[in-house]
Amino acid sequence: AEYMGNLEKHTDRPVHVKFSGGREVTGILKGFDTALNLVLDETREYLRDLDDHYKRRLVEDPDDPSSLVEETRYLGIVVCRGTAVMCIMPYEGTEEIANPFLAQAEIA
């Protein structure tokens, strides 16, 4: 993933934001300030179930993780408080990988 120290070049581009407490959203970065308060448009929040896992709905094969799709909720334009922002990354060019530590725990 690309270092996002300079958010200016990511304005009007899709970003993925992780917040303290576990919430995650994607949206178009419209603005920001020095406190890292963000304005996002076309924002979608990734939903979680009561067990704090991402909700997923089956598309094809239930045993194939690539056939699962994360459910989202459309929020539109939002202001994200900078003190809650944990991570900002470009949305394009990133993908989720399997947790290598989970695999080691299952072996042990």
Side-chain angles (χ1 to χ4, degrees):
E2 180 180 350
Y3 173 67
M4 297 210 26
N6 181 1
L7 287 177
E8 188 76 32
K9 67 181 181 178
H10 297 283
T11 302
D12 293 322
R13 292 188 172 174
V15 294
H16 186 89
V17 182
K18 294 185 179 188
F19 299 95
S20 58
R23 289 182 186 244
E24 296 185 30
V25 300
T26 58
I28 308 296
L29 180 64
K30 290 297 186 180
F32 61 93
D33 62 14
T34 56
L36 209 56
N37 296 308
L38 308 174
V39 176
L40 301 178
D41 196 7
E42 300 178 29
T43 308
R44 291 201 162 273
E45 176 185 12
Y46 291 89
L47 301 178
R48 295 173 177 253
D49 63 19
L50 295 176
D51 295 324
D52 203 32
H53 300 303
Y54 285 109
K55 287 185 176 179
R56 298 177 185 269
R57 60 183 164 85
L58 298 178
V59 175
E60 294 173 9
D61 180 3
D63 297 323
D64 180 7
S66 66
S67 70
L68 300 175
V69 178
E70 296 173 340
E71 290 186 37
T72 61
R73 173 174 65 154
Y74 184 76
L75 301 176
I77 192 163
V78 298
V79 176
C80 307
R81 189 170 177 179
T83 56
V85 173
M86 299 298 291
C87 178
I88 307 169
M89 62 192 106
Y91 183 74
E92 297 167 345
T94 60
E95 62 185 48
E96 185 174 339
I97 63 169
N99 182 342
F101 300 105
L102 182 60
Q104 290 176 1
E106 291 175 354
I107 294 172

